[in-house]
Amino acid sequence: DYRLERLLGKGGMGAVYLARRQQDSEPVALKVMLSRVLVDELARAGFHREVEVTRSLQHPNIVALLDHGSEGDRFYFAMEYCPGGSLDGLLRRRGGPLDLGLAGRIALEALSGLAFAHEWGFIHRDVKPENILLSDASGAGGKVTDFGLAKSFQQAGLSGMTATGMVGGTMYFMPREQLTNFRQTRPASDVWSLAATLYYLLTLQYARDFALGQDPLAVILKGGVVPIRERAPGIPERVAVVIDRALADDLGTRYATAAEFRNALAAVL
């Protein structure tokens, strides 16, 4: 049902293409995920059920899942196409950190999408610059993508990725409790990851001090972050206080929900 136009990106689980729907020529982002192992039909059915639930998340700041299916051992997902690409791509194009106005606005938009998902019982678990897309290249229209797709794919037994490979691409934006108690990950975990993403947008450095030669997992387990004004002294203190609180390892100190973080951030921007 789709005509491929060009490759948008590749990763450990598959590739994403710009494609056109045959019926109306509308552009979509077609994600093709490759199963590393053979699984039975029951597992496939369970995976599709979970994806269908994810499809119910309709919000202006969440990339819409339009369609899904499978061909042999390939699963595909037609998603809303975001011409601006990812935040990661925006940083590469700019060649430096974002100003507070732009980074703050994108963070507020992403937090609105996360808050909506949290209200419906969804936790993202993998918020990072690559998973926030933009409506255009100027940085307008921040949208959270990949809600549950990678996690559902792995839980269904469809991926041969190792635990190390799974963690490798996300650990720099991962809260401590996601390693120590993954089964009880909560909305506050997405708060930490979004705050770490905002920190990176403003400084081009990670919130934790990942020294060369250190085991990144050990750094996460040890806990602690570098206060953002140590990286970027020009950031207003009132903004730094909010970001630093969102990055607290102590769940009792950190904002408990994306909505709470969003309200606090909006009040100081």
Side-chain angles (χ1 to χ4, degrees):
D1 299 326
Y2 300 92
R3 183 178 71 253
L4 300 186
E5 293 197 347
R6 62 183 172 89
L7 181 69
L8 295 175
K10 294 180 73 173
M13 299 180 74
V16 183
Y17 299 87
L18 173 61
R20 299 273 174 181
R21 280 194 307 221
Q22 297 282 20
Q23 64 186 45
D24 55 13
S25 292
E26 278 296 304
V28 300
L30 195 71
K31 181 171 231 178
V32 181
M33 299 170 79
L34 304 179
S35 173
R36 309 290 192 206
V37 294
L38 294 176
V39 298
D40 60 30
E41 287 304 313
L42 187 61
R44 286 173 177 264
F47 175 63
H48 283 302
R49 277 197 304 275
E50 187 155 358
V51 171
E52 196 59 41
V53 173
T54 306
R55 190 175 178 178
S56 68
L57 283 176
Q58 300 289 325
H59 187 275
N61 298 116
I62 296 176
V63 175
L65 174 60
L66 307 173
D67 186 22
H68 66 94
S70 59
E71 289 281 346
D73 65 349
R74 297 172 181 236
F75 290 79
Y76 66 86
F77 308 90
M79 309 184 78
E80 174 186 1
Y81 174 55
C82 296
S86 69
L87 268 183
D88 190 53
L90 178 64
L91 287 171
R92 288 197 301 271
R93 291 195 301 273
R94 299 236 171 169
L98 304 185
D99 63 78
L100 179 59
L102 177 57
R105 179 181 55 72
I106 294 171
L108 291 176
E109 291 168 342
L111 283 166
S112 292
L114 287 172
F116 177 81
H118 291 165
E119 289 171 8
W120 286 92
F122 289 88
I123 302 172
H124 192 288
R125 294 181 175 88
D126 195 18
V127 177
K128 56 186 177 181
E130 294 93 331
N131 280 342
I132 299 175
L133 303 186
L134 303 164
S135 296
D136 66 52
S138 70
K143 296 170 179 277
V144 183
T145 191
D146 262 5
F147 252 105
L149 286 185
K151 181 177 77 73
S152 302
F153 200 66
Q154 289 160 3
Q155 285 184 342
L158 299 168
S159 173
M161 296 174 69
T162 65
T164 302
M166 179 181 69
V167 171
T170 64
M171 57 190 169
Y172 299 114
F173 302 95
M174 181 181 291
R176 185 176 182 275
E177 72 272 6
Q178 200 160 320
L179 282 181
T180 60
N181 199 3
F182 180 78
R183 291 180 181 275
Q184 294 187 18
T185 307
R186 59 197 77 182
S189 301
D190 285 346
V191 166
W192 198 98
S193 297
L194 194 284
T197 296
L198 177 57
Y199 187 114
Y200 188 76
L201 297 181
L202 293 169
T203 67
L204 287 189
Q205 297 184 73
Y206 301 118
R208 301 196 193 279
D209 192 7
F210 292 98
L212 188 64
Q214 274 190 296
D215 179 358
L217 297 182
V219 174
I220 297 171
L221 290 171
K222 180 181 177 182
V225 301
V226 179
I228 192 168
R229 277 167 63 90
E230 290 188 19
R231 307 278 206 205
I235 291 175
E237 185 173 358
R238 65 186 187 279
V239 176
V241 167
V242 171
I243 294 174
D244 288 342
R245 179 179 170 185
L247 288 168
D249 284 317
D250 178 18
L251 287 166
T253 301
R254 193 189 312 163
Y255 300 108
T257 66
E260 189 179 337
F261 181 24
R262 186 192 187 285
N263 292 340
L265 186 60
V268 297
L269 289 176

